[in-house]
Amino acid sequence: MERSTIVRVHDGLHARPATRFVKLAKSFESDIELVKDDRSVSAKSSVKLMLLGVKENEEITVRATGADAIEAVEALIGYLENPLAGTEEEGIAQSRKTDSGKTSSKSASNLPADGKLRGVAASEGVAIGPVYGFFPAEIKQENRSLAANEIADEVLRLKQAIATVQKRMDASLAETSLADSDRGIVAALKDIANDDELTGGAIAIVEGGVDAVSAVIGAASKIASDFATMDDPYLNARGDDVNAVGRQICLALLGQEDANLDAVAAGSILVADDIGAWDLARAPLKRIAGVICGHGGATSHVAIIARAHGIPAVLGLGRSILDLRGAKTVALDGDSGEVFANPDAAVASHFQAEIAKADAEKRALTAYKDVTPKRADGTVIEIAANIGSLEEIDAAKDVGAMGIGLFRTELLFMRHLHLPSEDLQAETYSSLAKAFAPYPVIVRTLDIGGDKPIAGVEFPDEENPFLGWRGIRMCLDRPDVFKPQLRALLRAAVHGNVKVMLPMISGVGEVQATRALIDECAKELAAEGRAFAHFDLGVMIETPAAVLVAPALAREVAFFSIGTNDLTQYIMAADRLNPVVAKLNDVTHPAVMAAIELTAKAGVEAGIMVGMCGEAAGRPDLIPGFIAMGLTELSMSPSSIQRAKKCVLDTFKTA
């Protein structure tokens, strides 16, 4: 069974999309290959997939042989045709900047050239502080020849070392303190550690009579060299990941612990010739004021981690990094890529002024963390957060989120090779409710279609999955999937202010059918003696049909939440992720604004809450207009919350 398609995954099968693709492929028994330009590789090897260099908008073929070949091809094609598959982690598009080495003229570029070094601007912001040097000892090849009777034991030793590294990475992924964005990177590294391209290659070298350490270094170097020859800067950077994993295996072989960053002092600038994403992801990142590296670029995982945590970073200094080894203090500009070793008084003063300015802006917004914004009539405007996992709770609470306006449950489903159990879902939703009580948490029921495949649901072959069997349509057809989620939500409602939102609604009948299932679930739980509580049921307004029947929907539900991202693309008949028609995806277009106003009017007249959970909810230029329409809840990424609260207050100060 084989099928060809055009890849719509953002920027192609780089590390994390490749990891997810392989995970999905491994859930099928069939042998699966991905074919591009007459080259074919196993779809169950992330390293081979990345080396194939599959880019967005390229044509590829998925070929499967086995009992479940049809299901495998359909699921994998569905994944590849999903433009969102590579952008699930917030900010991934930002992390895919071109590693061109170009620098901006911002900030430090007007300073004297004396002592100035230049690298790649990898994460914005400025910092100055004491140097914390991180220069672990290099592991060198032993180049030891093995006797014939030593080979079997050396292969066993290598396999044990590989298993040790895999267990360490599993333990890291199990840590609740690991940020969700970093978790994806560690998962990609673990996939490399599991990949036969590296491990099998190293084992083959040992079987040829070479010691295990030399074999691992040799196998990793070959793969890294292959990545270096590719014309994609992001894929070039994956060679660093392979070498980092190889280093961990070598350390396990030698029985050594790698140097770590546990002792870094608060406010330090981390200076290293090279640092693996594995090391940085597990470091006490809140203590690190800046990162400077000899290796790496704007597309490396180190840069991605730095950006995710707001740490200024300059990478790719090359041998110039040696000029910093003996420095006591260093200043860096992550906007221009400039670095100053032992800065003089003038340079230090400049950086301190820039830092003070940035801190003042942050502090000014921090003042709004615990503010409860209200309209002139005293009506509270809830400023809530959009999140997709429990790991994001702290970030939302730290900025003063007034609950959750959108909890995307699909990530919970996509993380597992099997459908998550009712108990696992109940535990997740309960944790969310407890964390924000008494504020409301709005949980969106499973919003999955052929573009977001999950194990346990076979999606049909669709020309346009965004207009197909997805969201509430799929859930109502699959009560075996939907009912466990509804039961879990009823159980979680005991622990807080849970509200439930249905996606992709186009008519009243879908709401009524869902209510019947909820009633059925409640009766079952009562009969089983399980504790549960009822929740408010609402709908997302994201289809033109929902807008046009909004008055009828308002009589059936407790709230509306306007999903401006999809609403805009459906009204404008323009794929919001297609750059050719990007200019049409404008939420301020009169047609889109009219749809929002019609929805708000229907909700206000029915006396139900009207909120918004699309990206437009966080725009200061639009917030006053939305509130004037009658919206009383706005949900957005946590980084926009304090600014939105300020905007609401400013609106009614001048009203």
Side-chain angles (χ1 to χ4, degrees):
M1 171 68 181
E2 68 177 50
R3 253 189 73 195
S4 298
T5 190
I6 301 298
V7 175
R8 301 300 185 192
V9 178
H10 182 68
D11 280 344
L13 292 179
H14 52 84
R16 281 166 285 186
T19 295
R20 290 191 289 272
F21 187 88
V22 167
K23 184 176 181 180
L24 181 60
K26 286 181 176 178
S27 69
F28 297 98
E29 294 180 4
S30 294
D31 293 327
I32 307 169
E33 292 180 310
L34 201 62
V35 184
K36 173 192 168 187
D37 298 334
D38 298 325
R39 288 181 58 206
S40 64
V41 301
S42 169
K44 298 183 180 182
S45 167
S46 61
V47 170
K48 289 180 179 178
L49 280 183
M50 288 188 286
L51 286 172
L52 190 59
V54 177
K55 298 182 179 179
E56 186 177 6
N57 296 323
E58 288 187 333
E59 182 176 356
I60 57 87
T61 299
V62 177
R63 181 184 298 153
T65 305
D68 54 2
I70 294 175
E71 294 86 350
V73 170
E74 288 183 349
L76 293 170
I77 287 289
Y79 181 93
L80 292 169
E81 290 178 344
N82 171 26
L84 295 177
T87 58
E88 286 162 8
E89 294 91 348
E90 188 171 339
I92 186 68
Q94 169 68 13
S95 69
R96 302 277 291 140
K97 294 177 182 176
T98 301
D99 186 5
S100 61
K102 293 180 181 178
T103 57
S104 73
S105 59
K106 186 178 177 182
S107 194
S109 58
N110 60 337
L111 292 174
D114 293 347
K116 183 191 297 186
L117 304 175
R118 188 179 292 277
V120 175
S123 181
E124 67 181 19
V126 295
I128 185 170
V131 170
Y132 183 88
F134 185 74
F135 295 91
E138 181 184 356
I139 298 174
K140 296 183 178 180
Q141 290 179 267
E142 299 175 10
N143 292 319
R144 178 167 52 88
S145 297
L146 302 174
N149 62 351
E150 295 179 303
I151 291 177
D153 287 342
E154 191 75 348
V155 168
L156 178 60
R157 195 167 74 91
L158 174 54
K159 288 181 177 179
Q160 290 172 337
I162 292 168
T164 296
V165 171
Q166 291 169 347
K167 288 178 182 177
R168 287 175 182 170
M169 291 184 173
D170 282 333
S172 182
L173 287 169
E175 292 177 7
T176 57
S177 60
L178 192 67
D180 201 45
S181 55
D182 300 345
R183 192 178 303 278
I185 291 172
V186 173
L189 295 175
K190 178 194 168 189
D191 211 47
I192 292 172
N194 287 335
D195 199 288
D196 188 61
E197 189 74 2
L198 175 61
T199 59
I203 289 170
I205 294 173
V206 173
E207 289 174 339
V210 178
D211 70 277
V213 171
S214 300
V216 171
I217 293 173
S221 297
K222 180 183 181 302
I223 296 170
S225 177
D226 289 340
F227 276 121
T229 63
M230 304 187 78
D231 62 358
D232 184 320
Y234 189 90
L235 291 173
N236 295 157
R238 301 292 64 78
D240 294 339
D241 295 336
V242 174
N243 282 327
V245 172
R247 177 181 175 83
Q248 295 304 314
I249 296 173
C250 287
L251 288 167
L253 281 166
L254 297 170
Q256 298 176 8
E257 290 292 330
D258 204 358
N260 60 54
L261 295 165
D262 291 347
V264 65
S268 296
I269 307 296
L270 174 61
V271 175
D273 178 38
D274 192 12
I275 181 170
W278 168 247
D279 299 297
L280 191 59
R282 298 176 301 132
L285 294 168
K286 289 185 178 180
R287 294 189 224 151
I288 298 174
V291 175
I292 304 172
C293 250
H295 287 72
T299 54
S300 70
H301 276 151
V302 170
I304 294 170
I305 292 171
R307 284 196 290 272
H309 293 272
I311 301 172
V314 176
L315 309 180
L317 266 73
R319 293 189 61 80
S320 295
I321 197 72
L322 299 178
D323 296 340
L324 302 178
R325 289 195 69 163
K328 292 185 177 180
T329 305
V330 67
L332 71 133
D333 186 333
D335 297 286
S336 69
E338 295 167 344
V339 174
F340 296 81
N342 294 318
D344 61 23
V347 172
S349 177
H350 171 85
F351 273 87
Q352 287 162 354
E354 289 291 314
I355 293 168
K357 180 180 176 182
D359 287 345
E361 291 174 353
K362 287 181 181 178
R363 282 196 303 273
L365 286 177
T366 302
Y368 295 89
K369 174 184 175 181
D370 298 319
V371 164
T372 301
K374 299 178 181 179
R375 288 192 321 211
D377 63 2
T379 301
V380 172
I381 305 298
E382 295 178 4
I383 307 297
N386 296 339
I387 65 174
S389 66
L390 298 183
E391 290 87 357
E392 298 171 75
I393 287 175
D394 287 344
K397 294 182 73 173
D398 286 347
V399 294
M402 300 165 69
I404 298 300
L406 170 62
F407 184 72
R408 307 178 184 93
T409 59
E410 52 269 20
L411 184 58
L412 177 61
F413 283 73
M414 295 177 78
R415 277 182 169 177
H416 299 275
L417 290 176
H418 305 286
L419 290 171
S421 67
E422 176 187 323
D423 286 344
L424 176 60
Q425 291 188 66
E427 181 181 348
T428 300
Y429 308 145
S430 295
S431 296
L432 185 70
K434 291 173 184 176
F436 286 95
Y439 286 126
V441 293
I442 299 178
V443 180
R444 182 174 68 188
T445 57
L446 187 57
D447 189 14
I448 288 288
D451 58 307
K452 297 180 192 173
I454 59 170
V457 179
E458 180 183 340
F459 289 92
D461 181 16
E462 297 178 313
E463 289 297 325
N464 191 337
F466 284 97
L467 299 177
W469 192 59
R470 61 180 305 109
I472 193 64
R473 302 166 183 179
M474 184 279 290
C475 286
L476 288 173
D477 286 347
R478 288 292 303 269
D480 59 313
V481 175
F482 199 22
K483 283 185 63 178
Q485 182 171 47
L486 295 175
R487 284 170 55 100
L489 288 163
L490 286 164
R491 290 166 59 185
V494 172
H495 301 288
N497 188 1
V498 174
K499 298 184 179 183
V500 176
M501 175 167 64
L502 308 178
M504 203 63 180
I505 289 291
S506 56
V508 170
E510 292 160 331
V511 177
Q512 293 172 337
T514 301
R515 281 202 183 280
L517 280 179
I518 293 170
D519 290 343
E520 187 178 318
C521 291
K523 289 177 182 177
E524 290 173 357
L525 291 170
E528 296 165 13
R530 289 178 178 266
F532 72 93
H534 292 284
F535 46 68
D536 282 348
L537 183 66
V539 295
M540 282 192 77
I541 304 295
E542 53 188 337
T543 68
V547 173
L548 295 175
V549 298
L553 286 171
R555 292 192 290 270
E556 295 284 338
V557 299
F559 65 91
F560 286 161
S561 185
I562 303 169
T564 56
N565 301 346
D566 278 334
L567 181 62
T568 301
Q569 78 165 342
Y570 290 141
I571 286 177
M572 300 305 297
D575 182 349
R576 62 188 170 96
L577 291 163
N578 184 341
V580 178
V581 294
K583 64 181 181 181
L584 293 174
N585 267 282
D586 179 9
V587 71
T588 65
H589 188 284
V592 181
M593 294 301 285
I596 294 171
E597 191 165 12
L598 283 171
T599 301
K601 183 174 184 290
V604 170
E605 289 180 350
I608 66 171
M609 185 203 84
V610 182
M612 179 180 288
C613 60
E615 290 181 10
R619 285 181 52 172
D621 59 324
L622 300 181
I623 287 174
F626 293 148
I627 294 173
M629 291 179 188
L631 275 67
T632 57
E633 188 255 11
L634 300 168
S635 189
M636 60 203 68
S637 64
S639 61
S640 299
I641 284 175
Q642 292 175 356
R643 184 179 63 182
K645 286 187 175 185
K646 179 179 184 298
C647 180
V648 174
L649 289 178
D650 289 348
T651 297
F652 291 105
K653 279 181 184 176
T654 58

